[in-house]
Amino acid sequence: SSRGRVFLGSDETSSFHLAADFQDTRAQTGFTKLHISNNGSIWASGGAMSIEGSWASIATSSSDTALAYRLDRYYLSDIFVKSDNTIIAVGSMMDSYNIGGRNDGGKAGVVLISKNKGKDWSVVYRSNQSSEFTSIVQLSISNYLIVGTNGEVVSLIHKY
């Protein structure tokens, strides 16, 4: 939901229960992608591109622990959860003059990696063609295919 709540349901009962509640998210933040890792951890990603500014949000919840981080000037369109600690994300980065992401000329498609559950990020690729990367899929253990705006397709080969 737009306030950081994740609900899970069951096909057998058609009922839903609250699976994760990321309370520290701003009202404008929208989680647009949801992933459940092999060990049952729930990952949500998204952010905001609004007049108030642009930021990415990533959150994870397992057992009774919930973590949420914000990354200013970025927006996450999609993530790939490589392990419980390592995340590869794609999206866009706003230049400092591009308030609210309203000027595509001030955006660049980026690929980021975090090795500590989203707390810290490094840019591993920045596009000079696409204003945003929209999707990432894993082709093999070290090969990822990334799709961006303007028809750009990037093959990222790297061991993380």
Side-chain angles (χ1 to χ4, degrees), residues 35-47:
H35 302 271
I36 300 176
S37 64
N38 291 337
N39 73 350
S41 294
I42 297 170
W43 292 86
S45 64

Side-chain angles (χ1 to χ4, degrees), residues 4-142:
R5 292 188 173 100
V6 177
F7 296 90
L8 291 180
S10 169
D11 287 340
E12 294 105 23
T13 63
S14 298
S15 64
F16 291 87
H17 68 279
L18 183 65
D21 191 357
F22 306 115
Q23 292 286 337
D24 293 333
T25 57
R26 294 170 108 183
Q28 301 91 338
T29 301
F31 288 109
T32 57
K33 295 291 181 174
L34 181 67
H35 302 271
I36 300 176
S37 64
N38 291 337
N39 73 350
S41 294
I42 297 170
W43 292 86
S45 64
M49 269 193 262
S50 65
I51 197 161
E52 290 87 6
S54 301
W55 63 86
S57 293
I58 184 119
T60 183
S61 177
S62 59
S63 305
D64 294 329
T65 305
L67 301 170
Y69 298 107
R70 186 177 131 176
L71 188 61
D72 288 333
R73 293 182 42 227
Y74 291 85
Y75 181 82
L76 302 181
S77 300
D78 198 8
I79 63 172
F80 179 80
V81 180
K82 178 104 172 137
S83 70
D84 284 337
N85 289 318
T86 304
I87 310 146
I88 302 169
V90 299
S92 56
M93 179 179 94
M94 275 42 90
D95 288 337
S96 58
Y97 68 86
N98 185 14
I99 304 299
R102 290 176 283 165
N103 172 7
D104 271 356
K107 289 175 22 180
V110 290
V111 180
L112 304 115
I113 186 166
S114 173
K115 294 184 180 182
N116 57 1
K117 294 188 177 188
K119 182 178 178 185
D120 300 302
W121 292 89
S122 299
V123 174
V124 294
Y125 180 77
R126 180 181 172 163
S127 173
N128 58 7
Q129 293 179 6
S130 292
S131 61
E132 180 179 1
F133 287 119
T134 56
S135 184
I136 180 171
V137 293
Q138 184 181 33
L139 299 177
S140 68
I141 194 141
S142 61

